[in-house]
Amino acid sequence: MEKRIEITEVPDEFLELIAGGVLSVGDKDQMNRYVNWFKGRGYNLSETQGYWVEHMNKNHITSYTEEEAREYIASIW
């Protein structure tokens, strides 16, 4: 008889690592400070996200995607 593999649920943290995009605690802290600064000066969500993506591109940040950054910024907005 063939052995069966028991299927268990994979934690989200591992799925994020496999997918290639991970926002570290440091990344999140930096984004929180950034959002508070821009929000406090009257920028809207879209502008704030755009400036962050521009920052990512200039600094060659590739540990997470632009979409992940936009989604996280929206979640803390």
Side-chain angles (χ1 to χ4, degrees), residues 7-48:
I7 298 174
T8 59
E9 195 158 320
V10 178
D12 289 339
E13 299 83 37
F14 293 121
L15 292 176
E16 288 176 3
L17 284 170
I18 294 167
V22 177
L23 286 168
S24 70
V25 172
D27 294 331
K28 289 178 180 180
D29 287 344
Q30 186 179 16
M31 283 185 189
N32 287 333
R33 288 190 304 274
Y34 168 87
V35 166
N36 288 331
W37 190 90
F38 274 81
K39 196 173 183 179
R41 285 161 180 75
Y43 289 84
N44 66 36
L45 174 60
S46 180
E47 291 171 319
T48 304

Side-chain angles (χ1 to χ4, degrees), residues 34 48-58 66 69-70:
Y34 168 87
T48 304
Q49 291 169 319
Y51 284 123
W52 185 264
V53 167
E54 186 177 316
H55 161 76
M56 285 177 62
N57 291 331
K58 285 182 181 176
E66 291 179 13
R70 288 179 187 278

